[in-house]
Amino acid sequence: MRLVIFGRQGAGKGTQAVELAKHYSIPHISTGDMLRAAVRDGTEFGLKAKEIMDRGELVSDDVMLGMVAERLSLPDAANGWILDGFPRTTQQAEDLRSLLGDAGIDLAIDLNVPEDVVVKRIASRRVCEKCGTNYAAPDINIPTVPCTVEGCGGQAVQRADDTEEAVRKRLALYESQTAPLLDWYHGQGLLVIVDGVGAPTEVQAELVGVIDAAV
Ligand code: AP5
C-alpha cells in the first residue's frame, strides 16, 4: 500500500500517519521528521536545513528527492509506506512519479482542515525534544508538556518553525506550491478528501474507511 497524505500545516498529517502506519503495518515516512532528525544529529546538512525550516521555507527539491529515494530503497519500505510531507512541489511530484515508475502510488489523501483551525492547533502544538512525539498543550500559554512515551523522559516544546511569522509563510507556500498537486492527483483519479476536523480517533476511523474502500 503506497499512500501520500496532504494537508495544511497543523492539519494532523503526522498525528494520523503514525496511526495509519501501525494499522496497515507500513512505515511512516515523514520528510519533516527526517530533517528534524538531521538537525538533532547536528550534521552540517542538518544545520543548513534548520535555517531554512526555521524561516518557514522549503529545502531544495533535489536534496529532498535524494533523501526520499534513499529512504524508499530500504527493506522496510518494500511492501508500502505512507509518505507525509513529500511531494510538496510540482517538481517533487514529477520526481516521485519517475522514481516509482509504473507502480506509482495507490492513493493521495487530502486531510482537509480550514486555516483558522490549523493556526489554533499549531499554537498549542508541543513536540518532544528527544523522541519527536506530538502533543497538544491544554493552553497555548503552557510552554512545555512532559513526554509520556515510556522510557523517553523528554519534554515537549514549541517547534522552532511554529513562530507566527514562519507559520504564515508555510501556509502561503502550501497554497502556492503544494495545493496545486491536489488537482494533479485528482486528474489521475488518485485523490480522496477526508475531513480532518473532529477528534483524532474519529478522523482516523474515517481515513481507514476511505482507504479500505479505495485501495
Ligand atoms: P513538516 O514537518 O512536514 O511540517 P508541515 O507540513 O508544516 O506539517 P506540520 O508538521 O506542521 O503539521 P501536521 O499536519 O503533521 O500536523 P500534526 O499532526 O503535527 O515540514 C517541516 C519543514 O521541513 C517544512 O516547512 C520545510 O522547511 C521542510 N520540508 C519538509 N518536507 C519538505 C519537502 N518535501 N520539500 C521541501 N522542504 C520540506 O498536528 C498539529 C497539532 O494538532 C498537534 O499538536 C496535534 O496534537 C494536534 N491535532 C492533530 N489532530 C488533531 C485533531 N483531529 N483535533 C485536534 N487537534 C489535533
Side-chain angles (χ1 to χ4, degrees):
M1 183 177 282
R2 293 174 304 274
L3 308 172
V4 176
I5 189 160
F6 289 100
R8 289 192 173 88
Q9 286 71 17
K13 300 179 296 292
T15 303
Q16 294 298 336
V18 165
E19 297 305 320
L20 290 174
K22 284 186 208 153
H23 183 85
Y24 293 110
S25 303
I26 51 176
H28 166 214
I29 300 179
S30 156
T31 46
D33 286 352
M34 288 159 79
L35 290 167
R36 282 184 287 277
V39 173
R40 278 198 294 273
D41 290 347
T43 59
E44 194 183 332
F45 166 69
L47 295 176
K48 275 190 202 149
K50 179 172 165 46
E51 285 178 21
I52 297 169
M53 292 162 77
D54 288 357
R55 288 198 302 267
E57 293 167 6
L58 294 177
V59 174
S60 71
D61 289 334
D62 56 333
V63 168
M64 294 313 302
L65 174 66
M67 188 180 263
V68 169
E70 193 181 331
R71 180 64 187 88
L72 294 184
S73 71
L74 297 182
D76 71 330
N79 294 321
W81 29 258
I82 176 159
L83 259 182
D84 162 12
F86 187 96
R88 230 174 173 101
T89 63
T90 305
Q91 182 63 53
Q92 291 180 14
E94 282 168 2
D95 288 342
L96 182 65
R97 183 161 64 178
S98 306
L99 184 68
L100 299 176
D102 289 342
I105 66 163
D106 295 309
L107 200 63
I109 302 157
D110 174 19
L111 191 58
N112 193 270
V113 179
E115 191 163 321
D116 58 328
V117 178
V118 297
V119 167
K120 282 189 194 136
R121 285 186 186 177
I122 289 176
S124 39
R125 171 166 54 194
R126 303 291 178 268
V127 179
C128 178
E129 288 177 304
K130 271 175 85 179
C131 73
T133 301
N134 261 346
Y135 297 89
D139 183 303
I140 58 166
N141 298 312
I142 296 178
T144 59
V145 173
C147 180
T148 53
V149 171
E150 213 181 317
C152 175
Q155 288 289 322
V157 300
Q158 189 165 47
R159 249 168 61 174
D161 61 346
D162 279 350
T163 59
E164 196 185 331
E165 193 187 349
V167 168
R168 221 180 300 121
K169 203 182 279 177
R170 287 159 59 205
L171 285 166
L173 273 174
Y174 183 80
E175 296 307 324
S176 64
Q177 304 287 309
T178 310
L181 300 184
L182 301 176
D183 285 340
W184 199 73
Y185 283 111
H186 176 67
Q188 296 170 49
L190 289 170
L191 185 76
V192 290
I193 301 173
V194 171
D195 183 3
V197 180
T201 48
E202 288 166 11
V203 176
Q204 179 72 16
E206 175 74 14
L207 279 164
V208 168
V210 164
I211 294 167
D212 286 349
V215 178

